Amino acid sequence: MKVNNAEFIISAVGPDQYPTDALPEIALAGRSNVGKSSLINRMINRKNLARTSSTPGKTQHMNYYRVNEDMYFVDFPGYGYAKVSKTQRASWGKMVEKYMAERDTLKLILLVVDLRHPPTGNDKMMFDWLKHYDLPLCVVATKADKIPKTRWPKHIKVMKQELGVLPGDNFIPFSSEIGLGKDELWALIEGYSLQSSEEDSDELSDSDNLNDGAEQIAGNEVAPEEEQES
């Protein structure tokens, strides 16, 4: 996809601030500093439209970036940052849960993980939660450039096995530095963006379970091995 225009629109904290133009929305979920901002910047060919930070937990809202007047990237708050208050983490969980349960324009969720390391408990919980409610999903395993190419198959195998990725599930190795996976991810995004909206009310009717899953993910602490974005 050729990106001619991309701009930051709003940091939203609730439905009353979401855009109302009904453009397709591609959401990004992942732990704090896994590389979501770098992924967005690579996809839109901009160096710093989506701001990266060495301070985990900085993204505390849902940041909307409009691309080509055709779609949005929606960057979720990073889950699992321990120094953020429990009240704030619970608030994030409710906001994200409500968005994923009710947002008709949501077309695809990118679960961004770090290919260098096995998935964290929060990564596994988010993957299971999204799969349980049959939400459109692609696992994007970023920072592949930081691993020797000969070790990619091993790391991909570990990531898929520990998450529970099945044949036919969307999984894309990615590097914001060298552009690995960019074209494949754009092709997938365009395919989902063109699909008509489908009602998932039957799968999402149990709001108590949705709240429990999203809030638990948002409230868990960072595992000791997690690193800052680089």
Side-chain angles (χ1 to χ4, degrees):
M1 177 174 179
K2 184 177 180 180
V3 177
N4 298 313
N5 181 59
E7 58 184 329
F8 170 75
I9 300 300
I10 192 173
S11 289
V13 295
D16 59 329
Q17 294 182 314
Y18 299 161
T20 58
D21 49 15
L23 292 177
E25 296 177 7
I26 309 299
L28 292 89
R31 67 168 176 80
S32 295
N33 287 344
V34 72
K36 294 186 282 96
S37 296
S38 295
L39 186 154
I40 292 173
N41 288 330
R42 166 58 73 170
M43 294 296 287
I44 62 178
N45 300 318
R46 296 278 292 274
K47 289 185 177 181
N48 60 357
L49 180 63
R51 296 295 179 89
T52 60
S53 173
S54 60
T55 305
K58 185 174 182 180
T59 301
Q60 300 183 13
H61 307 89
M62 294 174 63
N63 290 330
Y64 271 80
Y65 302 91
R66 188 166 58 206
V67 182
N68 284 355
E69 308 294 331
D70 292 330
M71 56 158 285
Y72 291 100
F73 282 120
V74 186
D75 188 9
F76 287 170
Y79 52 69
Y81 186 56
K83 291 185 180 180
V84 177
S85 71
K86 291 182 179 180
T87 300
Q88 183 67 70
R89 295 200 305 270
S91 176
W92 294 353
K94 291 178 181 178
M95 176 174 62
V96 170
E97 174 271 323
K98 186 175 180 64
Y99 170 87
M100 289 194 291
E102 300 178 1
R103 189 66 171 165
D104 291 337
T105 49
L106 175 62
K107 298 299 182 179
L108 178 66
I109 300 167
L110 306 181
L111 176 57
V112 184
V113 296
D114 188 334
L115 185 59
R116 298 175 296 178
H117 310 296
T120 68
N122 287 335
D123 293 330
K124 295 177 185 179
M125 195 181 302
M126 179 62 82
F127 180 84
D128 290 344
W129 189 83
L130 295 171
K131 290 283 287 186
H132 179 75
Y133 289 101
D134 198 25
L135 294 171
L137 168 66
C138 176
V139 176
V140 182
T142 192
K143 304 192 181 185
D145 60 286
K146 302 185 184 300
I147 307 172
K149 191 173 182 180
T150 55
R151 293 171 56 191
W152 287 356
K154 177 181 178 181
H155 283 254
I156 291 170
K157 181 179 180 180
V158 169
M159 183 66 71
K160 286 185 173 181
Q161 285 183 340
E162 296 205 10
L163 280 178
V165 175
L166 300 175
D169 288 344
N170 297 313
F171 184 98
I172 298 178
F174 192 89
S175 168
S176 299
E177 292 295 323
I178 63 177
L180 173 74
K182 176 183 174 182
D183 292 342
E184 184 180 356
L185 185 53
W186 264 129
L188 186 71
I189 288 171
E190 288 183 285
Y192 276 92
S193 295
L194 292 173
Q195 293 179 1
S196 60
S197 297
E198 297 181 357
E199 294 295 331
D200 296 317
S201 57
D202 291 341
E203 292 83 356
L204 299 177
S205 60
D206 190 346
S207 60
D208 288 339
N209 286 340
L210 281 165
N211 275 314
D212 289 344
E215 290 181 42
Q216 187 174 357
I217 294 167
N220 283 346
E221 296 188 354
V222 170
E225 74 276 13
E226 293 184 351
E227 302 176 9
Q228 294 183 349
E229 183 171 339
S230 56

